[in-house]
Every structure is written in structure tokens, then in C-alpha cells.
Amino acid sequence: MPKTHTARPLAIPAISTRLLLTAAGVAILLLALAYLVAFDQGALSRSGMYMHELMHDGRHLLGVPCH
């Protein structure tokens, strides 16, 4: 009688704490950047007209309505 092989469950790789914290930090920074570009309208980016115009152009580039 042939020997049958039993399927073993797949092993889930362990994720290091450092990698998890780095991924969370990057996600938070990206969300903050998306807020500044899409919804801020100059409230937090008060570092002169250069920053305001940069964020304004970013809104146009992403297709976010700003007028």
C-alpha cells in the first residue's frame, strides 16, 4: 500500500517589533502628508507663500478640489 502524505499547516512568519513599529510610523507620516496636501488649506502650512503654493499645486496634481 502506498504511503500517503499528510498536509502540514503553513507556518506564519514572525514579524519583528521593529518592523511593525517602522511600518506604523511610515503609515502615520503618509496620512499626515495626505492631510496636509489634501485638506489643510493653509491652516498648518503657515511657513510662507512657498509652502502654501507647494501644497496648492499638490492638490491640483492629485485632483483634489480646492477652489
Side-chain angles (χ1 to χ4, degrees):
M1 181 179 305
K3 195 177 200 181
T4 59
H5 295 283
T6 59
R8 290 184 290 163
L10 293 175
I12 299 173
I15 298 176
S16 70
T17 304
R18 183 176 181 182
L19 178 63
L20 188 61
L21 289 175
T22 302
V26 167
I28 289 171
L29 286 175
L30 287 175
L31 286 172
L33 181 65
Y35 169 77
L36 282 174
V37 172
F39 304 111
D40 180 39
Q41 299 289 338
L44 295 178
S45 57
R46 295 253 178 219
S47 59
M49 287 304 290
Y50 174 76
M51 205 54 182
H52 173 77
E53 290 300 320
L54 182 67
M55 295 298 166
H56 185 252
D57 292 343
R59 282 189 285 278
H60 284 296
L61 181 67
L62 293 173
V64 176
C66 62
H67 294 278

